[in-house]
Amino acid sequence: MLNRLSRHCFCTATPRPWLFVGLGNPGDKYKGTRHNVGFELIDAFAESEGISMNAVHCKAIFGQGFVDEVPVFIAKPQTYMNLSGESTGPLAAYYKLPLNRVLVFHDDLNLPCGVLRLHHKGGHGSHNGYWEASWTNGSQSILAPKVQCNSPRTN
């Protein structure tokens, strides 16, 4: 009886971590362009949660911290958009994260300005950066929040 009670009432399981990846292109040339909305989301999230993005890990600018008691790893791959899987896959593997604990943020021209849409097991929608991140990891199980923040006519 005590064994059954301790399993249900005294659980000390630690929260499972998340990996948030913002897709974009490195360099000043791409700042403020629609492709860098993933980078901008990661920067805003890091700032709001007090997480420093001061490390380089697996070809990404990287930070880690907690949201409440849940560990989070956040990354901005520096491989350019279409090679983002070279960073995303190794990060998930390094931290032994199942792909359902990975969120990849990227732009989507089909959304109205300022809209965020969460896709689970969705297609890449002709977005080569997301396609690279998902297929390099051998699955389309990565969650993909899509955002549109600029006019569809901007790069």
Side-chain angles (χ1 to χ4, degrees):
M1 172 79 171
L2 184 58
N3 190 20
R4 187 183 322 160
L5 181 63
S6 66
R7 277 193 317 224
H8 293 290
C9 298
F10 301 39
C11 180
T12 59
T14 45
R16 294 179 13 199
W18 284 92
L19 170 61
F20 298 159
V21 179
L23 300 188
N25 289 317
D28 290 338
K29 176 180 175 181
Y30 299 101
K31 281 188 179 173
T33 64
R34 69 173 174 86
H35 272 319
N36 277 25
V37 71
F39 280 8
E40 292 174 20
L41 277 166
I42 292 296
D43 288 339
F45 178 77
E47 183 178 334
S48 73
E49 296 300 322
I51 298 173
S52 296
M53 297 289 293
N54 58 1
V56 175
H57 185 37
C58 295
K59 299 181 183 180
I61 295 174
F62 182 78
Q64 57 187 336
F66 292 87
V67 175
D68 292 327
E69 294 182 17
V70 178
V72 292
F73 305 110
I74 53 179
K76 298 188 309 185
Q78 300 298 291
T79 57
Y80 288 92
M81 179 79 68
N82 294 344
L83 299 174
S84 58
E86 291 180 8
S87 176
T88 306
L91 280 167
Y94 183 85
Y95 291 103
K96 297 177 177 59
L97 296 174
L99 294 181
N100 65 359
R101 301 300 286 183
V102 178
L103 286 169
V104 177
F105 294 91
H106 63 86
D107 64 292
D108 186 339
L109 285 175
N110 295 319
L111 291 179
C113 183
V115 171
L116 176 70
R117 180 174 63 194
L118 182 63
H119 264 239
H120 183 266
K121 294 186 179 182
H124 57 83
S126 75
H127 194 288
N128 291 332
Y130 174 69
W131 182 89
E132 167 71 17
S134 62
W135 285 106
T136 299
N137 292 299
S139 172
Q140 282 211 303
S141 296
I142 294 176
L143 293 171
K146 299 178 179 189
V147 179
Q148 178 59 41
C149 71
N150 292 339
S151 158
R153 290 182 175 76
T154 62
N155 279 339

